[in-house]
Amino acid sequence: MFLPCVSAPDETPAGIAGRVLTRLQTLLADPRTDSAPIVIVTRGAVGAVDGEDVTDLPAAPVWGLVRSAQTDN
């Protein structure tokens, strides 16, 4: 299951995190996805290599949100 995570031009970090959290909770509550991996796809939310710029700052908090969800599940 792929869940793309790219912010809209005027979206806030809270807005995108809330949107991803709602979708993630729905997927985790669905018994049909119990054994399916869930992949959150971001672009520009973190620097992949030293010196790379963060180009999607509103999506950056999603990384912490997903790590917390992984710990809880």
Side-chain angles (χ1 to χ4, degrees):
M1 172 73 51
F2 286 93
L3 180 59
C5 174
V6 178
S7 66
D10 60 347
E11 193 165 22
T12 65
I16 194 168
R19 181 167 48 90
V20 171
L21 177 60
T22 299
R23 182 72 174 128
L24 192 55
Q25 288 172 327
T26 301
L27 289 171
L28 292 172
D30 188 340
R32 296 174 295 175
T33 61
D34 280 346
S35 62
I38 300 171
V39 179
I40 310 296
V41 181
T42 62
R43 180 176 297 170
V46 296
V49 296
D50 287 340
E52 185 175 30
D53 289 336
V54 173
T55 57
D56 191 359
L57 191 57
V62 170
W63 277 70
L65 174 73
V66 172
R67 286 184 61 92
S68 294
Q70 285 175 319
T71 301
D72 288 346
N73 286 291

